[in-house]
């Protein structure tokens, strides 16, 4: 089958051959470079979704290409009956950048949902029956991760879910009332990405750290969307000056190669025992080598600082547009939520796409922006022009 034949009728082919658990795709993309992608008709788009906060270094970055090629020439995968140098190096690096230090330990999986499944088991290993999570938070779609996810409409078709999880309002008072010595863990996103990039209230994470410590419960921070430099620190909890008992990581860690991880701190590192959990592909050599290259480049090029600077530019730019459709601009670093009047977000995103800009209407009142960490002046200028035009046209 020729390339032209493969492209023809791709929407019908997608509907015919792929499971209908996603919305129909917006475009057929063929290649990318930096912050840009091209579709099958040759149209160029500025990718300000970044694979949903995954493509930390954008598309076709030389360090990613080199890491993949060099590791694939050695071996891609050898199973966890054996160690590999990339896996060992990545575990050491994650202990350093998370702040877990010498007592930290790392579990590797393939996705954010898998990392949160590991965290669920970690909490169960305390022997305590109750796990606290927050309403409207999102932690994944596998059964344990879905039990943590505070969105009843997503849970309803799959009941009964694993039990013992209670969902609280995102207030310190609600947490105080729920905390007792039978709580195994509190699981939180510092910024609720799938709810529209909604940060926790000021000081919540610091108070949560104190309360969980007081009652002997684990504090588990889900940094799947906020981590790996996206908010202007390696991890968002570092802005608050706290250390959790576990952090879950995925998305941007390997620049698009599937990889997830849970890093534990202190005494929590001894909870999971041999045979308690595992993953065939978790932390395989190809994914680990790519992650090491991505994290190297983030450090070398000060992309964490770039995320902080560019995020401020983008939030200021949207605010200055003065659109009556925009109600607020939320988030930190390069994870931004543009709050809109009810129902406007899809129209804004559609108008942006028609003009060559990819952003995400995560719900009817929120547009999510999560560009690669390499974004520069040219991309900020293009975004400002096109997003302003999209607001005017929506």
């Amino acid at each position: 089958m020729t390339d032209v034949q493969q492209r023809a009728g791709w929407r019908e082919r997608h509907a015919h051959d792929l499971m209908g658990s996603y919305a129909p795709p917006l475009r057929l993309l063929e290649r990318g470079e930096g912050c840009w992608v091209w579709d099958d008709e040759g149209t160029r788009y500025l990718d300000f979704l970044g694979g949903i906060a995954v493509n930390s270094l954008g598309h076709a970055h030389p360090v990613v290409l080199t890491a993949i090629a060099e590791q694939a020439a050695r071996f891609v995968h050898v199973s966890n009956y054996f160690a590999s140098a990339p896996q060992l190096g990545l575990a050491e690096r994650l202990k350093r950048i998370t702040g877990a230090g010498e007592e930290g330990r790392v579990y590797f999986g393939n996705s954010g949902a898998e990392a949160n499944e590991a965290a669920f088991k970690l909490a169960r290993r305390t022997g305590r029956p109750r796990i606290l999570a927050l309403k409207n938070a999102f932690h994944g779609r596998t059964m344990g991760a879905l039990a943590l996810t505070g969105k009843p409409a997503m849970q309803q078709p799959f009941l009964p879910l694993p039990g013992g999880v209670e969902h609280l309002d995102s207030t310190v008072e609600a947490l105080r009332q729920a905390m007792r010595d039978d709580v195994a863990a509190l699981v939180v996103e510092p910024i609720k990405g799938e709810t529209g990039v909604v940060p926790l209230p000021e000081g919540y994470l610091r108070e949560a750290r104190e309360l969980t410590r007081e009652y002997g419960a684990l504090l588990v921070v889900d940094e799947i969307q906020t981590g790996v430099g996206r908010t202007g620190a390696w991890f968002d909890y570092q802005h608050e000056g706290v250390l959790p008992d576990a952090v879950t990581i995925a998305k941007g860690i390997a620049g698009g190669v599937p990889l997830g991880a849970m890093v534990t701190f202190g005494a929590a590192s001894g909870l999971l025992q041999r045979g308690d959990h595992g993953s065939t592909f978790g932390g395989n050599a190809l994914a680990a080598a790519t992650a090491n290259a991505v994290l190297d480049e983030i450090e070398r090029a000060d992309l964490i600082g770039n995320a902080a600077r560019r995020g401020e530019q983008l939030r200021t730019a949207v605010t200055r547009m003065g659109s009556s459709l925009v109600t607020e601009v939320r988030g930190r670093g390069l994870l931004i939520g543009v709050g809109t009047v009810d129902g406007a977000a899809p129209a804004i995103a559609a108008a942006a796409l028609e003009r060559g800009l990819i952003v995400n209407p995560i719900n009817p009142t929120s547009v999510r922006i999560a560009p690669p960490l390499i974004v520069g002046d040219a991309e900020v200028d293009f975004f400002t022009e096109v997003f302003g035009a999209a607001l005017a046209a929506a």
Side-chain angles (χ1 to χ4, degrees):
M1 184 180 292
T2 67
D3 286 347
V4 172
Q5 289 172 322
Q6 287 180 334
R7 293 189 193 105
W10 65 266
R11 294 181 190 276
E12 293 77 11
R13 293 169 59 206
H14 186 281
H16 184 267
D17 295 330
L18 275 75
M19 192 71 68
S21 54
Y22 290 100
L26 299 169
R27 297 289 190 274
L28 176 63
L29 298 182
E30 292 206 329
R31 67 183 181 93
E33 182 179 341
C35 295
W36 302 86
V37 292
W38 285 259
D39 69 13
D40 60 318
E41 297 180 352
T43 304
R44 187 180 78 155
Y45 303 87
L46 180 63
D47 182 4
F48 260 40
L49 182 57
I52 313 181
V54 166
N55 300 320
S56 301
L57 303 185
H59 303 277
H61 195 289
V63 305
V64 173
L65 302 182
T66 299
I68 291 172
E70 289 183 351
Q71 186 56 49
R74 295 185 178 94
F75 54 74
V76 170
H77 177 77
V78 293
S79 93
N80 284 309
Y81 287 115
F82 302 91
S84 72
Q87 184 188 72
L88 296 174
L90 181 58
E92 291 169 353
R93 184 190 300 269
L94 288 177
K95 288 169 60 175
R96 172 174 63 84
I97 67 174
T98 59
E102 289 302 311
E103 293 185 340
R105 294 295 183 269
V106 180
Y107 170 81
F108 287 118
N110 305 287
S111 66
E114 286 191 36
N116 282 334
E117 290 285 342
F120 199 116
K121 280 189 168 181
L122 186 80
R124 283 279 190 259
R125 260 302 193 177
T126 66
R128 296 181 174 194
R130 298 171 63 216
I131 298 174
L132 307 180
L134 300 183
K135 294 177 182 178
N136 292 317
F138 179 82
H139 299 288
R141 299 176 190 271
T142 52
M143 294 297 276
L146 187 57
L148 295 172
T149 293
K151 295 177 180 286
M154 293 180 65
Q155 296 177 331
Q156 185 61 41
F158 307 104
L159 298 176
L161 296 170
V165 181
E166 303 167 31
H167 294 97
L168 312 178
D169 290 332
S170 300
T171 67
V172 171
E173 183 56 34
L175 179 59
R176 275 203 195 96
Q177 291 179 6
M179 285 300 301
R180 295 193 297 272
D181 59 9
D182 60 351
V183 173
L186 169 67
V187 182
V188 297
E189 295 176 280
I191 299 174
K192 296 177 184 177
E194 299 301 312
T195 301
V197 189
V198 178
L200 289 176
E202 180 68 28
Y204 182 97
L205 207 56
R206 292 190 297 274
E207 189 69 23
R209 175 68 286 181
E210 291 303 314
L211 285 167
T212 51
R213 184 176 288 121
E214 178 182 348
Y215 286 91
L218 302 177
L219 175 61
V220 179
V221 181
D222 176 341
E223 292 262 8
I224 288 157
Q225 196 159 155
T226 53
V228 195
R230 179 146 296 276
T231 68
W234 274 120
F235 299 97
D236 197 74
Y237 63 78
Q238 293 167 341
H239 291 293
E240 303 297 323
V242 303
L243 287 179
D245 297 292
V247 57
T248 54
I249 309 164
K251 288 194 180 290
I253 189 174
V257 174
L259 179 64
M262 176 182 70
V263 181
T264 54
F265 297 60
S269 296
L271 286 171
L272 291 180
Q273 303 297 308
R274 182 177 297 180
D276 278 354
H277 203 38
S279 169
T280 295
F281 294 103
N284 81 5
L286 185 72
T290 309
N292 280 318
V294 169
L295 299 179
D296 263 343
E297 181 64 12
I298 289 173
E299 285 194 300
R300 186 203 66 78
D302 185 28
L303 296 184
I304 295 175
N306 194 59
R309 293 186 294 272
R310 300 302 183 180
E312 182 61 30
Q313 282 183 284
L314 292 170
R315 287 188 297 276
T316 299
V318 174
T319 300
R320 287 178 176 170
M321 290 172 191
S323 172
S324 61
L325 299 181
V326 174
T327 59
E328 63 176 333
V329 184
R330 304 181 292 263
R332 186 144 53 187
L334 288 175
L335 183 60
I336 297 169
V338 179
T340 73
V341 298
D342 194 18
I348 294 167
L353 187 65
E354 289 301 315
R355 290 161 173 77
L357 171 66
I358 297 172
V359 293
N360 174 228
I362 193 63
N363 58 43
T365 61
S366 303
V367 175
R368 175 170 50 183
I369 299 167
L373 305 186
I374 60 171
V375 62
D377 287 335
E379 290 81 16
V380 170
D381 290 345
F382 184 90
F383 166 84
T384 302
E385 176 184 348
V386 174
F387 195 71
L391 288 171

